[in-house]
Amino acid sequence: MRGKTILVTGVGGDIGQSIIKCLKDNNTDQKIKIVGCDIDCYAASRQEVDSFLVAPFANQKDKYVEFIKSIVKKEKIDYVIPTTEQEIIVLDKQRADFDGECKLLINSSYIINTFFDKYATVEFLRSNGLSFPRTYRIEDYSEELSFPLIFKPRFGCGSKGLTIAHDRKELDFLKKNRRDFIIQEVVGDIDEEYTACVFSDGQDIHSIAFKRSLGYGSLSKIAELSNDMELLDLAKKIASVIDLQGSINIQARKTAQGYIPFEINPRFSSTVYIRHYFGFRDVEWWLNLYERKEVKYTPKYKSGVGVRKLSEIFFDCQPL
């Protein structure tokens, strides 16, 4: 890709930081200009972009949209890569505002609306004959599951807000104090948790999977490449059903009955740079999709482990 300007939002977050690393790997000829924004003036990747701006919160819808539109116009942005759920939801509803101005790297409205709704996700899996965890809206739950139970927001960011109810007392408290939550059975074991990414250009479908261990909160800290065709084929089947043109991430646990997906993220995920390193370059491919360039997937390794690390960056330090 040559002579393009790309806006990456949320560059202080793990996904934003990883996307910038992917773009820089693709930018050996220095023809890509990266503009970054974040609600935090001390965003971790502020010094990694060519230009940085402080953004309003996406829940300030009108203000946020006008902010993005102003950057697109001022910086002559070709592509916008939003990295957070709230930003994707807002920009999805304002697609028409950007027609002819730039391309938004977001999935179809159907995919966004289905998979940012955790209850709708389970209904999607059920209706398409795929495995799913038994799941209930709070108002519909009538003691169908045994403890422990998962309580999590129906709408929200990954596992944020997820709580485990171990007994009746905890269940009653959560039902009383949580709104728009769902109740879900615990499937499988945390030691058999997997993350699979699938990309499609509308014709060819490619997938990659890792066995993961969580750390640093709910991030995938350790990702071990998995070549299990059952999981890879499951990811491809989901992509085919939804007519995917872009990238999604599927989280699943392996059980005696096979892989059971429990969450589908219709956006780039926190393992985006890890899979990029292994040859699965879905950031580059999504851009190529709009550039009408061929997508080629050539796996680089037959095995391997990616480990996320913590590091520090410093701002505004004045010497004595």
Side-chain angles (χ1 to χ4, degrees), residues 266-286:
R267 53 160 174 76
F268 291 118
S269 69
S270 64
T271 54
V272 64
Y273 185 73
I274 291 177
R275 58 183 181 258
H276 175 95
Y277 183 87
F278 280 84
F280 195 93
R281 303 165 74 96
D282 51 320
V283 174
E284 176 185 338
W285 297 341
W286 206 334

Side-chain angles (χ1 to χ4, degrees), residues 61 65 89-99 104:
K61 176 184 169 183
V65 172
I89 291 168
V90 169
L91 292 175
D92 171 49
K93 297 184 186 313
Q94 303 298 132
R95 287 176 189 260
D97 289 351
F98 299 92
D99 287 346
L104 304 175

Side-chain angles (χ1 to χ4, degrees), residues 123-160:
E123 290 302 298
F124 164 84
L125 295 169
R126 186 202 311 270
S127 64
N128 285 284
L130 300 168
S131 298
F132 60 92
R134 288 182 294 166
T135 304
Y136 302 86
R137 294 173 294 193
I138 286 181
E139 61 270 25
D140 299 331
Y141 183 68
S142 300
E143 316 299 327
E144 288 88 351
L145 304 174
S146 58
F147 293 103
L149 305 172
I150 295 174
F151 259 72
K152 61 184 179 182
R154 179 171 175 175
F155 308 94
C157 307
S159 61
K160 291 182 180 178

Side-chain angles (χ1 to χ4, degrees), residues 300-317:
K300 292 172 61 178
Y301 305 98
K302 63 181 180 180
S303 63
V305 177
V307 181
R308 299 178 66 90
K309 66 178 182 179
L310 292 175
S311 62
E312 294 76 28
I313 187 168
F314 302 93
F315 300 92
D316 302 340
C317 297

Side-chain angles (χ1 to χ4, degrees), residues 78-136:
D78 296 292
Y79 298 99
V80 178
I81 307 180
T83 66
T84 70
E85 282 86 348
Q86 187 62 49
E87 290 175 308
I88 292 170
I89 291 168
V90 169
L91 292 175
D92 171 49
K93 297 184 186 313
Q94 303 298 132
R95 287 176 189 260
D97 289 351
F98 299 92
D99 287 346
E101 298 293 327
C102 65
K103 299 292 187 183
L104 304 175
L105 266 70
I106 59 176
N107 280 297
S108 70
S109 296
Y110 167 73
I111 292 173
I112 290 169
N113 293 334
T114 300
F115 298 134
F116 276 150
D117 179 337
K118 294 179 174 63
Y119 186 76
T121 298
V122 171
E123 290 302 298
F124 164 84
L125 295 169
R126 186 202 311 270
S127 64
N128 285 284
L130 300 168
S131 298
F132 60 92
R134 288 182 294 166
T135 304
Y136 302 86

